[in-house]
Amino acid sequence: MENTRKNRSFNPYNCPVTHCMNLIGGKWKILIIYAISRNCNRFSKLQKAMPLISKQMLVTQLRELEEDKIIERTIFAEIPPRVEYSITDYGLIGKAADIRDIGK
């Protein structure tokens, strides 16, 4: 079953900022990006950094950010398995101009 998001393609004026907000908007995505940028790069660290987010919501938001190429997921072939998240070059956000560039 394909995951469909309500606002992903909503951009009536073809505005790059609107497109960007469709990708990173919402209650948790900016916080997740911020936490990953502050070295909370594992699922358990993210859960501890944001205790009010449910496990399912965190999984969903991480998958959407990964699908939109804002973050990348690295799986290490270890016992026990280890997964780390990092922000991609495309996902680096700092200024309003950067947000506009993401939307292009």
Side-chain angles (χ1 to χ4, degrees), residues 1-5 8 67:
M1 185 171 136
E2 185 180 327
N3 182 16
T4 57
R5 293 184 264 170
R8 184 171 186 182
E67 178 184 326

Side-chain angles (χ1 to χ4, degrees), residues 3 5 29 56-69 71 73 85:
N3 182 16
R5 293 184 264 170
K29 287 184 181 176
Q56 183 59 45
M57 180 57 73
L58 181 55
V59 167
T60 301
Q61 299 292 293
L62 287 168
R63 285 181 183 160
E64 288 179 5
L65 287 167
E66 184 181 8
E67 178 184 326
D68 293 333
K69 311 245 185 292
I71 64 172
R73 182 174 161 216
Y85 297 94

Side-chain angles (χ1 to χ4, degrees), residues 41-42 73-85:
N41 55 356
R42 309 230 5 226
R73 182 174 161 216
T74 306
I75 303 168
F76 295 91
E78 300 175 347
I79 302 293
R82 178 171 55 116
V83 175
E84 289 186 356
Y85 297 94

Side-chain angles (χ1 to χ4, degrees), residues 42-58:
R42 309 230 5 226
F43 189 83
S44 60
K45 285 184 178 181
L46 289 167
Q47 279 186 307
K48 288 176 186 172
M50 296 176 286
L52 297 178
I53 189 171
S54 70
K55 183 178 179 179
Q56 183 59 45
M57 180 57 73
L58 181 55

